[in-house]
Amino acid sequence: MTWTSANGDVIPLTGDISGRRPAGLAVQWGPSGFDLPTYDLHADQLPNMDGAMFRTTRATSRDVTIPLYIRGLDRKSLITMKNRLFSALNPHAGPGLLTVRDGDLPARHLKCFYVSGLEGNETQESAGFLHIRYALILRAMDPYWYSNSENQFDWSLKSSDVGSFLSPPKDLHRKFLNPLRIGSASLGPEGVVEVNNPSSVESWPVWSISGRATGLKVLNKTTGKSFAFSSNYTVPDDQVATVDTRPGFKNVALDDGTNLWPHLAPNPALWALAPGRNIVQVEGGDYDDKTLIRLHFTPRYLSYTGG
C-alpha cells in the first residue's frame, strides 16, 4: 500500500519494521472501506399501500480507514517521518493516490483526500518517544478503484500503425498510468473495433485525434450513442484534438487550447463504455497517412481486488 501526494511524493505505507532496529511506516490490523462502495437508494413511497417503488441508485463517496504505525530510530527521525506524511496528505494541495496491491493481483488505486485521523493522541496506548499510532481516514469522491494500466485502441489508414501516445496526462490520476495498446482498425466504413471493457462499471474514454480528419463521427454500436463534429469541420493536421468524456473533465479542445464545442454536431453524447463488449465505429473523411484516432480509458472496479 502506498500514498502518492498531489506533488508526486511516494510514501510506502506497508514497510517492514520487524528488523533489529525497526523504523518506518506500517499498516496494522483493521483497514476498512476497501471493497464495495456504499449506495444511496431512491424510491417513491406508495400511496395508501405498504412499502415503496424503487427508482434509482447511486454510489456515494467512499471513506477508507487505515490504522498506521510509525516508528523512528530516534525522536528526530520520528518527527521527520510524521512531517513528511502530514505534508503529503495536505488536502489543500489536492487529492493524492492510494495504491493497493494484494499478493499477485494487479494494483488498483483511488484518488483520495485526507479527512481526519492524524490529529495526534499522546496517551500511553497510542504513542511513545519513538512511535505513534494513527487511524488515517481518506475520502474518495469517485468511489471506484482504477487500474494502473490505460487501455488504448487505434484507427488509422493502416491498422498496423501504432504512432506515439497522443494525449499526455494532465492530472495525477493519469500521470502514472502505463498505456496498453489492445487493438487497431483501418479508417473507413469497415473501421470497427471490438473494445472489451474489463471494468465492473462503465468507463469514460478520452479520444485523441492527430492529423487531418473531416466530419468525424464516433459511434458506440452497443449502446447506440454517438458524438460527431460538423460535416465541414476538419481537425488541423498540425494539432491534436482531444475529446475527454470523463465526468468532471468534459472537454473538447485542440492542444493550443482552442475550444471545439462549437464545432460538434447537434445533440452530442460523450458516451461511456459499457462493462464488457463494446462495438465502436469511427467514420469521417479527408484522412491522410498521418491521421491517427485513439481511444484510451482506464478500467475501474467496485473493489481493490476487482469485483
Side-chain angles (χ1 to χ4, degrees):
M1 195 180 301
T2 62
W3 173 258
T4 304
S5 74
N7 298 323
D9 186 16
V10 181
I11 299 179
L13 302 180
T14 46
D16 182 3
I17 59 171
S18 60
R20 289 185 58 190
R21 299 190 66 196
L25 284 73
V27 175
Q28 297 192 303
W29 289 105
S32 63
F34 286 75
D35 285 320
L36 281 179
T38 57
Y39 289 87
D40 276 341
L41 301 179
H42 300 275
D44 294 334
Q45 297 301 314
L46 296 174
N48 303 319
M49 296 180 64
D50 296 333
M53 179 178 291
F54 172 78
R55 291 299 183 188
T56 61
T57 185
R58 58 177 291 274
T60 66
S61 60
R62 177 196 293 267
D63 283 4
V64 298
T65 302
I66 303 172
L68 272 185
Y69 179 79
I70 307 177
R71 184 177 181 88
L73 293 172
D74 50 36
R75 185 67 179 176
K76 182 178 179 180
S77 65
L78 174 64
I79 293 172
T80 298
M81 285 188 286
K82 286 171 53 178
N83 288 340
R84 180 185 174 193
L85 184 63
F86 296 162
S87 177
L89 288 167
N90 183 359
H92 288 293
L97 291 184
L98 175 67
T99 303
V100 178
R101 182 190 296 273
D102 190 338
D104 294 332
L105 294 174
R108 306 275 187 254
H109 63 261
L110 278 177
K111 184 190 287 187
C112 302
F113 290 88
Y114 166 75
V115 176
S116 64
L118 269 64
E119 296 84 2
N121 184 345
E122 296 293 332
T123 61
Q124 185 174 359
E125 295 78 14
S126 300
F129 188 73
L130 297 180
H131 73 274
I132 192 166
R133 290 181 173 87
Y134 294 115
L136 171 62
I137 298 178
L138 303 172
R139 180 166 298 160
M141 301 304 172
D142 181 344
Y144 299 114
W145 291 87
Y146 282 76
S147 170
N148 278 12
S149 295
E150 186 175 68
N151 294 355
Q152 66 183 50
F153 297 80
D154 298 338
W155 287 259
S156 64
L157 287 177
K158 296 180 180 179
S159 61
S160 60
D161 289 347
V162 176
S164 59
F165 192 66
L166 297 177
S167 183
K170 295 182 176 66
D171 60 276
L172 182 68
H173 180 96
R174 297 182 59 218
K175 187 180 295 182
F176 303 100
L177 297 178
N178 297 314
L180 179 63
R181 184 171 183 265
I182 303 297
S184 61
S186 296
L187 287 165
E190 73 285 355
V192 174
V193 166
E194 181 176 317
V195 177
N196 180 48
N197 176 15
S199 307
S200 309
V201 293
E202 74 275 2
S203 293
W204 297 89
V206 179
W207 292 86
S208 300
I209 303 111
S210 174
R212 290 178 61 85
T214 300
L216 197 65
K217 180 180 180 181
V218 180
L219 168 66
N220 187 334
K221 290 187 157 188
T222 300
T223 63
K225 295 184 177 181
S226 68
F227 66 87
F229 289 93
S230 57
S231 59
N232 60 355
Y233 178 73
T234 300
V235 176
D237 57 10
D238 60 345
Q239 291 277 339
V240 176
T242 299
V243 180
D244 193 338
T245 71
R246 295 174 298 165
F249 292 87
K250 302 280 187 186
N251 188 40
V252 185
L254 294 176
D255 273 357
D256 62 8
T258 301
N259 179 18
L260 296 183
W261 281 102
H263 296 289
L264 288 181
N267 303 317
L270 300 189
W271 45 264
L273 292 164
R277 182 173 177 262
N278 294 257
I279 303 301
V280 179
Q281 184 171 26
V282 174
E283 300 175 348
D286 198 22
Y287 308 125
D288 61 27
D289 58 4
K290 296 181 181 178
T291 302
L292 179 62
I293 298 163
R294 176 161 291 167
L295 173 159
H296 35 107
F297 71 96
T298 308
R300 56 185 192 159
Y301 302 91
L302 293 170
S303 164
Y304 78 107
T305 55

